[in-house]
Amino acid sequence: PRRRAAVSLIAILAVALVASQTRAVLVALVAAYEAACILEARLRRHALAAILILGSVIAIWEVMPTGGRNIRGLFSQGVATGPQRERLILWDVALSVARDRPFTGVGPGQYRSIFTTYHPNTITSETSWGNAHNVYLHHLAERGVPGLLVLLAALITLTLGAWRAERER
């Protein structure tokens, strides 16, 4: 029953992620599963399945109706266009903010208010963006290098704790 519930939950999550077209999360989940299969001896028998799943996710990514947000579009012509270009602009703004205020950032929740200072033009009909579309860069822009280091330390601590707990189990 536990395994069936876990498989059902994973299937529902995968369908929800595919429906929302959250491709980066899908690839990250599959890559994490692949890493676990490689690092954990008892999961190594699933490594081939993980590779096939990753290939399937990438293949599905290519045919999803995304308006050019596919792998070919990402690497074509050497220059990002459309959604990739927009995302790069958001990341560039976050990095510019971090360069100007490396120790304090602009403050929690202030990315939107400072955005037009760094990029006064519109991006897809919006003039002000409240998110850098990258949790690490967004955190860096709002909280500076110390805030980003705290976030990374928390994530590393949680990951190592989960790894140790699983090993002991």
Side-chain angles (χ1 to χ4, degrees), residues 70-128:
N70 56 24
I71 293 173
R72 283 187 319 271
L74 184 63
F75 295 107
S76 67
Q77 303 167 355
V79 177
T81 59
Q84 287 80 21
R85 186 184 140 289
E86 296 156 7
R87 179 121 341 142
L88 290 174
I89 290 169
L90 297 173
W91 293 354
D92 185 55
V93 168
L95 288 170
S96 296
V97 170
R99 274 192 296 273
D100 289 348
R101 302 171 187 202
F103 299 109
T104 62
V106 292
Q110 298 303 310
Y111 184 81
R112 180 180 298 279
S113 65
I114 199 83
F115 185 83
T116 54
T117 304
Y118 288 87
H119 189 78
N121 302 330
T122 61
I123 303 173
T124 62
S125 306
E126 288 190 49
T127 55
S128 183

Side-chain angles (χ1 to χ4, degrees), residues 52-64 70-72:
L52 294 174
I53 291 169
L54 180 60
S56 299
V57 167
I58 291 171
I60 290 169
W61 186 355
E62 286 296 310
V63 297
M64 291 173 83
N70 56 24
I71 293 173
R72 283 187 319 271

Side-chain angles (χ1 to χ4, degrees), residues 136-155:
Y136 304 104
L137 292 177
H138 186 84
H139 215 73
L140 178 64
E142 286 195 345
R143 292 161 183 88
V145 173
L148 178 63
L149 291 175
V150 168
L151 172 66
L152 293 174
L155 291 174

